Amino acid sequence: MDVVLYSEFMDWDRFGEEDYLEKVYKRLKEKYINLKFDLVIAESDEAFFLMEGYGEKLFPNTPVIFCGVTDERKDINSLKKNMAGNFKKADYKTNVINIMKIHRNLKEIVVIIGVSKREAYFPTNVKEELKQFANSLKITYIINDELENVKKKV
C-alpha cells in the first residue's frame, strides 16, 4: 500500500486574524481541488477549528482524527460524525508541585499568558487550578502583554 502524506502549517499565532480560517479554507480548497483523501489528521487547535467549520466542504466524507487540541470547552459528544480524537488538558497544578520539588524555597511564581487566540481562555483555567497555592506562594499573572513589557516585569 502506498502512503502519500500532505502537510500544512497554518501559523495561526502570527496571522490568525478574524477571517484567517476562511482564507486558509479557500487556499486549501484551491490547492487540493482534484484530490480525494482517505484521512485528515488535525494536530492543533487551529486545524481542529478549520476541520470543524470547513472540513465537510474541504474534504467531503473524509474522516478526521484530531490530537493536540486544548479546547477544553468542547463536548466530545457534540462532534461531527466523521470526527474523533482526544482533547489534551494542561495540568498547571502538577507543574507547580514539580517546580516546588526542585525549588524548595520557592516564594513566588510568574504565570505568563500570551496574546494568541489559543490562549484566550487560559487565564480562567490557570487561576482556578492554582488558587490552592495562594497561601503558600505569591502568584503574579502577566496576561496579554507585549514581550518588551513582560521582560521588564520579570
Side-chain angles (χ1 to χ4, degrees), residues 107-137:
K107 302 281 187 248
E108 178 180 10
I109 62 170
V110 178
V111 178
I112 302 169
I113 300 172
V115 297
S116 73
K117 290 180 180 165
R118 140 185 7 213
E119 296 165 299
Y121 66 97
F122 285 2
T124 303
N125 296 347
V126 174
K127 287 179 179 180
E128 179 64 29
E129 228 177 287
L130 297 188
K131 69 181 179 185
Q132 71 185 52
F133 298 103
N135 294 331
S136 58
L137 285 174

Side-chain angles (χ1 to χ4, degrees), residues 16-32:
E17 64 271 0
E18 282 298 312
D19 59 346
Y20 187 67
L21 288 180
E22 185 176 349
K23 288 177 182 176
V24 172
Y25 158 70
K26 288 177 180 176
R27 182 176 54 83
L28 295 180
K29 183 77 171 168
E30 183 177 316
K31 184 175 182 178
Y32 296 122

Side-chain angles (χ1 to χ4, degrees), residues 33-72:
I33 194 164
N34 295 318
L35 293 175
K36 167 75 173 113
F37 290 93
D38 296 317
L39 175 69
V40 172
I41 301 172
E43 189 281 318
S44 66
D45 290 341
E46 56 270 19
F48 173 81
F49 295 141
L50 179 72
M51 291 298 99
E52 188 178 46
Y54 297 97
E56 268 307 304
K57 290 192 250 178
L58 256 177
F59 311 113
N61 303 313
T62 303
V64 176
I65 300 296
F66 63 87
C67 59
V69 176
T70 58
D71 191 1
E72 298 165 3

Side-chain angles (χ1 to χ4, degrees), residues 15 21 63-64 66-67 89 93 96 133 146 151 153:
F15 302 108
L21 288 180
V64 176
F66 63 87
C67 59
K89 174 156 177 32
K93 173 185 166 185
V96 171
F133 298 103
E146 298 297 322
K151 288 179 183 178
K153 291 176 182 178

